[in-house]
């Protein structure tokens, strides 16, 4: 794996601080975008910039919906999903975790959620909220030594 080649895909990593190359670790907040993602976002806003699906009846909306469905198929194939309908788009990881926590079919304290002691709070709070609402059991496992 050529790290210098990977770094070149991330324009933000070209910055230097005190003459040293920048290193970015705050992925819990946001992630740096590689050039292909930046180019795809720029392409979307330059050529489409429309909501998708049945919200609008114009050509751009239909084209965006088609792109979304193509992406859904690609993701489904990549992760081995049974069908593209299993793919749900959310705006961020926190929204996804909240959706998972609220959707789990936990009905009693006989079921439990197991978390590690080093989880980011965004992966803990949704389960504590479900505990407050549904009285589920949460087990915190300490990190291995």
């Amino acid at each position: 794996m050529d790290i210098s080649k990977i770094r070149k895909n991330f324009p933000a990593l070209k910055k230097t601080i005190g003459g040293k190359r920048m290193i970015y670790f705050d992925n819990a907040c946001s992630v740096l975008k590689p050039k292909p993602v930046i180019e795809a976002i720029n392409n979307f806003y330059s050529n489409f910039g429309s909501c998708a699906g049945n919200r609008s009846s114009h050509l751009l909306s239909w084209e965006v919906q088609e792109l979304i469905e193509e992406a859904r198929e690609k993701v489904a194939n990549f992760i081995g999903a049974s069908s593209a309908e299993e793919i749900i788009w959310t705006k961020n990881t926190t929204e996804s975790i909240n959706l998972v926590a609220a959707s789990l079919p936990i009905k009693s304290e006989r079921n439990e959620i197991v978390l590690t002691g080093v989880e980011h709070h965004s992966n803990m709070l949704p389960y504590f909220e479900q505990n407050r609402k549904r009285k589920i059991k949460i087990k915190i496992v300490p990190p291995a030594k």
Side-chain angles (χ1 to χ4, degrees):
M1 182 181 317
D2 185 353
I3 297 300
S4 63
K5 186 176 180 182
I6 294 170
R7 284 182 66 89
K8 287 179 183 175
N9 270 309
F10 292 85
L13 293 179
K14 292 179 182 173
K15 294 180 183 182
T16 57
I17 301 169
K20 295 185 179 184
R21 290 186 307 178
M22 183 176 78
I23 299 172
Y24 184 84
F25 286 120
D26 193 13
N27 291 340
C29 174
S30 184
V31 294
L32 298 179
K33 310 301 186 271
K35 286 179 189 175
V37 171
I38 294 168
E39 289 165 2
I41 292 168
N42 188 35
N43 179 53
F44 174 80
Y45 285 115
S46 296
N47 297 304
F48 302 99
S50 171
C51 60
N54 298 328
R55 296 180 191 134
S56 300
S57 59
H58 54 78
L59 179 63
L60 289 178
S61 177
W62 297 336
E63 289 176 343
V64 169
Q65 184 63 36
E66 193 172 303
L67 290 171
I68 288 171
E69 295 309 320
E70 286 174 18
R72 193 182 311 276
E73 286 287 339
K74 288 178 181 178
V75 169
N77 289 332
F78 181 72
I79 67 171
S82 307
S83 72
E85 286 75 34
E86 293 181 356
I87 307 304
I88 299 171
W89 302 121
T90 61
K91 66 181 167 283
N92 57 41
T93 304
T94 300
E95 182 183 26
S96 298
I97 293 170
N98 281 306
L99 181 61
V100 167
S103 301
L104 290 174
I106 297 173
K107 301 190 188 312
S108 72
E109 289 187 24
R110 291 183 301 156
N111 301 119
E112 63 184 15
I113 299 292
V114 180
L115 302 168
T116 69
V118 294
E119 300 290 336
H120 188 273
H121 75 276
S122 64
N123 190 38
M124 295 179 96
L125 295 179
Y127 299 105
F128 289 124
E129 176 65 18
Q130 290 305 309
N131 179 37
R132 188 184 65 74
K133 290 179 179 176
R134 300 191 277 169
K135 304 296 182 227
I136 62 174
K137 185 177 179 182
I138 298 175
K139 182 177 183 178
I140 306 290
V141 177
K145 293 182 181 180

